[in-house]
Amino acid sequence: MIKSVIIIILSFILESNLSNFISINTNFFNTFLVFSSLIIIDNILESKESLYIFAIFTGILYDLVFTDRIGYSILTFLIGSIIIKNINKISKLKVNIINYLIILIMYRLISYTILLLIGYLSFNPLKLFHSIYSSIILNLLYIITLKIIFIRGKS
Amino acid sequence: MRKKKKERKKIIILVAILLIILLSLVIVIDDERKLTKFEKVIKDGVVTLSNFVSAPFLTIKNKFFSESKDDYQYNLEKQESIGLSNEILKENNELKELLKLNETLSDREYINATVINRNIAYWFNEITINKGFKSGISEGMAVINSKGLIGKIIKTSANTSKVKLLTDEHMEDKISVKIEYNDHFVYGLLSNYKDGEFIINGISNNIEINEGAKVITSGLTDLFPSGILIGYVDEVTFDNFDLAKTLKVKSEIDFDDIYYVTILNRNVDNNND
């Protein structure tokens, strides 16, 4: 549990500060780092219920600090954590990196679809595509780094 | 049979919950919603902590990336002319003299601020700055930099404010602008932002607007004061019926790389009489 909290605090600090150093135009945009950390936290927390509760609390904090839209991140993080827990049913591949990639893409699709459904965004597949490819490298690197540091022994 | 009924019930309940959540999100996601006290306190606390952590890195960055530093210095030193058309400043001075007013609606107070995070959560086209209502910032104020209009303040807490960028799809349809042509101005509305350019529709065919013409805010709506530079006309095209012109306006601002901003505080003195 302490490890999970450390990972979340670290992710919040990085997500908040890296945007000042890395331009959105690069392929290393850091957005969604907090969500990415949930993928690793899943390996630390034993039960799925604890992951869901953790995702809800992280979502609340994320909304309070960053989006100012209480509810949006709670919902997306919760759906994201359900995907994380069921990734083995969704993807038959046993390659971790590909599974992480699928989770990240699905998360972005869902967060975009929700905003489309409530009429906040207009349909723009290019923007969705940009959101995926611009941040995927950094997110994957971040997940792998967290895995090496925090759950090296487990896997 | 019972199992099927139970499953159907479950699905109905799930769909209903999802619908309720989506409906409540419509309210929550509204840009005009003001932050609650609790939200403000949490936000300020976390941002202060985050600033503390990032301070040494920012100092190093500012030492090595002189461009951003120059921009900041420029903002500080040349506040009077940041993003403002000379024409409007002249007009403002003349009006002041004529009416012997100490201050007019166009009088502004300038507050400089640093961007502390940008476009987090990706979809919202917002930046957070390190000044809040304690520094005199309130919702609706215009935010500019040395190259023109950036956006407006949509949310404030004690030490931070959120700026909605001009490029956001919820912004541009509200901005009344005027376009310079032959020492005159023609009025129009920014209707869209596409591929890095703002679009102005419905300009009369009889008006000769050249590429490079200056586009500034008109001040006709209470959203932005007049005279703030938006950009320059990049391309003039005709609509499908050849009845009106469509202008593509290029802003000099790189909306993805903003580090320092200036907030325009309308300083209206009610004691003019």
Side-chain angles (χ1 to χ4, degrees):
Chain A
M1 189 66 178
I2 296 166
K3 267 187 189 178
S4 310
V5 175
I6 292 169
I7 290 173
I8 284 297
I9 292 170
L10 184 74
S11 306
F12 265 89
I13 291 170
L14 279 176
E15 181 137 358
S16 169
N17 290 307
L18 276 181
S19 65
N20 280 325
F21 299 93
I22 304 169
S23 165
I24 194 173
N25 288 323
T26 65
N27 292 332
F28 293 96
F29 191 52
N30 67 299
T31 194
F32 309 118
L33 283 188
V34 174
F35 173 74
S36 297
S37 65
L38 286 178
I39 297 172
I40 293 307
I41 287 167
D42 172 49
N43 290 300
I44 296 165
L45 298 171
E46 296 297 327
S47 67
K48 66 177 178 188
E49 286 79 13
S50 24
L51 178 71
Y52 296 158
I53 292 166
F54 208 86
I56 291 170
F57 277 109
T58 311
I60 294 170
L61 197 62
Y62 196 85
D63 281 331
L64 282 172
V65 179
F66 296 136
T67 69
D68 295 330
R69 294 163 175 92
I70 300 272
Y72 173 68
S73 299
I74 300 169
L75 185 65
T76 54
F77 280 21
L78 186 61
I79 297 172
S81 61
I82 293 169
I83 295 169
I84 293 169
K85 268 291 167 204
N86 295 292
I87 188 63
N88 290 328
K89 288 178 198 166
I90 299 164
S91 153
K92 298 289 171 203
L93 295 164
K94 296 288 173 201
V95 187
N96 276 342
I97 289 186
I98 294 175
N99 283 350
Y100 298 155
L101 206 74
I102 293 168
I103 293 167
L104 292 173
I105 293 170
M106 284 184 82
Y107 172 72
R108 278 154 188 67
L109 275 171
I110 286 160
S111 51
Y112 182 69
T113 311
I114 288 170
L115 291 174
L116 269 185
L117 282 173
I118 59 169
Y120 187 82
L121 293 177
S122 52
F123 184 62
N124 185 353
L126 280 177
K127 193 169 182 184
L128 174 66
F129 184 62
H130 180 261
S131 90
I132 294 170
Y133 81 75
S134 65
S135 59
I136 216 95
I137 301 170
L138 193 70
N139 275 278
L140 274 177
L141 281 174
Y142 185 61
I143 294 167
I144 293 164
T145 313
L146 284 182
K147 196 170 179 177
I148 291 167
I149 298 169
F150 289 97
I151 51 169
R152 198 172 22 186
K154 276 196 173 183
S155 55
Chain B
M1 194 69 172
R2 265 190 183 177
K3 243 187 175 181
K4 266 192 174 179
K5 261 193 174 180
K6 261 191 175 179
E7 270 183 15
R8 205 177 289 170
K9 249 189 180 178
K10 258 187 181 178
I11 292 167
I12 292 169
I13 291 169
L14 268 173
V15 171
I17 291 171
L18 201 70
L19 277 175
I20 292 166
I21 292 171
L22 285 177
L23 281 173
S24 45
L25 269 182
V26 174
I27 302 161
V28 165
I29 227 134
D30 182 18
D31 292 334
E32 306 295 320
R33 186 183 73 89
K34 286 196 173 182
L35 296 177
T36 60
K37 266 189 183 174
F38 176 69
E39 285 174 272
K40 284 175 184 174
V41 170
I42 296 282
K43 202 174 172 64
D44 280 331
V46 175
V47 168
T48 310
L49 188 76
S50 173
N51 282 349
F52 182 72
V53 173
S54 66
F57 300 105
L58 276 174
T59 314
I60 294 166
K61 187 191 150 208
N62 286 340
K63 275 198 169 179
F64 289 101
F65 297 92
S66 53
E67 203 180 312
S68 315
K69 184 95 177 165
D70 286 348
D71 201 24
Y72 187 55
Q73 289 302 330
Y74 184 87
N75 277 7
L76 286 172
E77 288 161 13
K78 295 196 171 182
Q79 279 181 341
E80 286 294 314
S81 59
I82 300 165
L84 295 174
S85 144
N86 289 334
E87 192 68 31
I88 295 300
L89 287 173
K90 210 174 101 186
E91 183 188 300
N92 200 18
N93 287 336
E94 280 172 14
L95 271 171
K96 273 186 196 174
E97 274 179 31
L98 270 172
L99 298 168
K100 292 183 180 171
L101 289 173
N102 290 328
E103 288 174 338
T104 70
L105 262 178
S106 301
D107 275 324
R108 302 166 186 106
E109 200 178 274
Y110 301 92
I111 305 160
N112 285 305
T114 308
V115 175
I116 46 177
N117 54 52
R118 291 179 292 153
N119 209 7
I120 289 192
Y122 189 82
W123 311 112
F124 300 109
N125 276 321
E126 292 163 352
I127 53 174
T128 310
I129 56 170
N130 68 342
K131 297 269 172 75
F133 60 75
K134 265 187 178 175
S135 309
I137 294 172
S138 61
E139 284 94 353
M141 284 179 177
V143 182
I144 61 171
N145 74 359
S146 53
K147 290 168 185 168
L149 185 64
I150 290 172
K152 67 162 182 172
I153 302 285
I154 54 163
K155 282 174 180 129
T156 54
S157 63
N159 299 315
T160 67
S161 299
K162 195 150 262 188
V163 180
K164 178 65 96 186
L165 297 178
L166 217 57
T167 50
D168 189 80
E169 54 186 270
H170 293 267
M171 276 283 291
E172 70 270 348
D173 58 343
K174 293 169 189 164
I175 302 165
S176 167
V177 294
K178 46 188 183 180
I179 308 119
E180 205 176 48
Y181 82 102
N182 300 337
D183 297 330
H184 296 286
F185 285 107
V186 60
Y187 289 82
L189 280 173
L190 286 191
S191 59
N192 207 351
Y193 181 78
K194 215 177 174 186
D195 304 325
E197 287 183 318
F198 295 101
I199 310 287
I200 301 172
N201 290 314
I203 301 294
S204 170
N205 237 346
N206 307 323
I207 299 166
E208 266 309 313
I209 294 173
N210 300 318
E211 283 172 15
K214 195 184 273 182
V215 180
I216 56 175
T217 52
S218 70
L220 288 179
T221 60
D222 57 0
L223 192 63
F224 296 112
S226 65
I228 305 171
L229 182 70
I230 301 270
Y232 297 91
V233 174
D234 190 41
E235 199 184 329
V236 182
T237 51
F238 294 93
D239 68 359
N240 294 339
F241 308 101
D242 270 355
L243 291 172
K245 283 175 181 171
T246 299
L247 310 178
K248 283 185 179 174
V249 179
K250 186 107 185 149
S251 171
E252 288 188 337
I253 299 166
D254 180 359
F255 285 93
D256 299 322
D257 266 321
I258 300 165
Y259 295 98
Y260 300 104
V261 297
T262 299
I263 299 100
L264 293 183
N265 183 6
R266 275 196 180 190
N267 190 17
V268 186
D269 190 354
N270 294 324
N271 304 320
N272 282 335
D273 50 338

